[in-house]
Amino acid sequence: MRAARLIRMVLLLQSRASMTAAELARELEVSERTVTRDAQALSEAGVPVYADRGRAGGYRLVGGYRTRLTGLARSEAEALFLSGVPGALREMGLEDTASAARLKVSAALLPSLRDASRTAAQRFHLDAPAWFSEPETPELLPAVAEAVWDDRLVVARYRRGEEEVRRALEPYGLVLKAGVWYVCARVPDAGSFRVYRIDRFSSVDTADERFRREDDFDLRAFWDERAEQFARSILRSEVVVRLSPDGVRRLPYAVGLPSAKEALEECGAPDDGGWLTVTLPVESEEVARTQLMGLGPDVEVLSPAALRDRFAKDAARLAALYGRVDPDGPSPAAEHS
């Protein structure tokens, strides 16, 4: 424990011109008296730690005691500090490891590049969770992450509908999607790769045995392919609609990009008014109703007849609620204001 703290103290002093005892104590989470004893121990071990006396004093390294990464340009150094996502690392239980690594890199950089971590943090922040949701870190995420890093087999129990399934897995990689953690794993018995939500695991037992990773496995390509397959698999119904030019522009925001892209790629030319008739793949008629209502008067449902009838009734209820008015005239609210 003390050896690790002494190494960290050297790295801190190597990354800055000087640090007070109070600053070192805060960084190392020890007392100032411990900092004094550690500095003395380092000095006795041959590390040139020098103490400046007085109110403006502090500790510093002398004699050029440092290692430098001289081949890095500023843009490369800044990109290096973007490679870790603090929130995700913290949830996987790797925050301390990543912090130590960044500190070592900072200490090894040229003085002119030592602010790279600060300038990178000023310019980029990843907020992975979706809006209007409170993400929860799966309790078993650190255990799964450790197995992924060590290429260790795990036996996981997870919920599948009303039943609980026990399965041996080779965890190849982790994916954080909109605040939800997934593990991409190979099932040895089936010889295939599958995706599991970690928050559905009820237990994870890590084996001592390591699995042999397939060298050509590409996590990003695998995830992109499965994500596209999933997006298409839920589109089990179709509706035919007419869209105004503004409706065409807003369609991807209403129904999602995969559905909108497929529909717009296969539609014909617009009519004289600029309206397009498209066949739209949707999850269900009920979901389509909820999604398309957001387009308001810029969409007309042509089929199925049941969905068109529901839109007609919704429009009648809205007209009754707000009053029948000329679409190009003032609203009732404007007249009464």
Side-chain angles (χ1 to χ4, degrees):
M1 184 73 175
R2 190 190 185 198
R5 188 175 70 244
L6 292 175
I7 293 173
R8 191 161 182 234
M9 182 175 180
V10 172
L11 292 172
L12 283 168
L13 292 174
Q14 190 170 311
S15 66
R16 307 180 195 181
S18 176
M19 294 184 70
T20 65
E23 290 172 336
L24 284 168
R26 185 166 55 252
E27 290 281 352
L28 300 173
E29 298 181 347
V30 296
S31 66
E32 293 186 30
R33 181 170 296 186
T34 299
V35 168
T36 301
R37 288 199 299 265
D38 286 351
Q40 183 176 353
L42 287 171
S43 182
E44 292 173 354
V47 178
V49 178
Y50 181 78
D52 291 316
R53 305 297 179 184
R55 295 183 61 184
Y59 292 93
R60 59 187 175 88
L61 292 174
V62 296
Y65 192 89
R66 55 175 44 86
T67 301
R68 294 178 176 177
L69 295 177
T70 57
L72 287 178
R74 168 164 289 277
S75 59
E76 293 170 330
E78 290 174 340
L80 184 63
F81 284 102
L82 289 178
S83 62
V85 183
L89 292 171
R90 181 174 58 253
E91 293 180 7
M92 288 189 290
L94 298 174
E95 184 178 30
D96 291 342
T97 302
S99 176
R102 286 193 294 269
L103 187 58
K104 290 178 181 179
V105 172
S106 294
L109 289 172
L110 289 168
S112 60
L113 300 179
R114 296 243 174 91
D115 65 341
S117 62
R118 179 181 60 82
T119 57
Q122 287 176 333
R123 289 164 173 80
F124 181 82
H125 171 66
L126 176 62
D127 184 10
W131 287 104
F132 314 118
S133 63
E134 289 292 336
E136 295 184 5
T137 303
E139 181 180 350
L140 297 172
L141 176 60
V144 177
E146 185 175 355
V148 168
W149 285 115
D150 291 342
D151 293 340
R152 291 191 182 275
L153 284 163
V154 301
V155 176
R157 291 184 180 274
Y158 66 96
R159 298 182 298 278
R160 187 171 66 184
E162 298 297 325
E163 62 178 343
E164 186 173 80
V165 179
R166 180 180 181 274
R167 182 148 291 163
L169 301 174
E170 296 175 353
Y172 267 64
L174 295 169
V175 175
L176 176 61
K177 171 70 171 179
V180 179
W181 283 96
Y182 299 86
V183 59
C184 302
R186 183 176 178 273
V187 182
D189 295 339
S192 59
F193 287 90
R194 300 177 187 177
V195 177
Y196 299 88
R197 278 185 62 148
I198 297 178
D199 60 4
R200 292 180 181 168
F201 286 173
S202 58
S203 70
V204 173
D205 296 320
T206 304
D208 294 332
E209 179 185 356
R210 284 188 166 89
F211 64 87
R212 183 179 179 84
R213 179 179 289 265
E214 294 183 12
D215 294 335
D216 60 349
F217 178 78
D218 186 327
L219 178 60
R220 179 174 180 177
F222 170 79
W223 176 261
D224 288 345
E225 179 184 354
R226 288 303 173 93
E228 183 176 356
Q229 289 176 359
F230 172 76
R232 290 183 177 277
S233 69
I234 63 174
L235 303 177
R236 301 185 181 93
S237 300
E238 289 184 344
V239 300
V240 180
V241 300
R242 288 179 69 242
L243 296 165
S244 72
D246 193 46
V248 171
R249 180 184 62 81
R250 294 161 52 201
L251 185 64
Y253 303 100
V255 301
L257 183 60
S259 181
K261 182 179 179 182
E262 181 176 333
L264 296 175
E265 284 178 349
E266 297 179 2
C267 70
D271 61 20
D272 293 341
W275 285 61
L276 279 177
T277 299
V278 302
T279 300
L280 188 67
V282 294
E283 187 173 345
S284 66
E285 289 185 20
E286 185 61 38
V287 171
R289 176 179 175 239
T290 301
Q291 294 174 328
L292 295 174
M293 283 292 288
L295 296 179
D298 291 305
V299 61
E300 178 189 3
V301 176
L302 302 179
S303 68
L307 183 60
R308 179 179 174 86
D309 183 58
R310 294 188 71 176
F311 266 77
K313 291 179 178 178
D314 288 337
R317 290 172 60 195
L318 284 171
L321 182 64
Y322 290 101
R324 298 181 181 279
V325 298
D326 180 355
D328 298 320
S331 67
E335 293 177 351
H336 290 86
S337 62

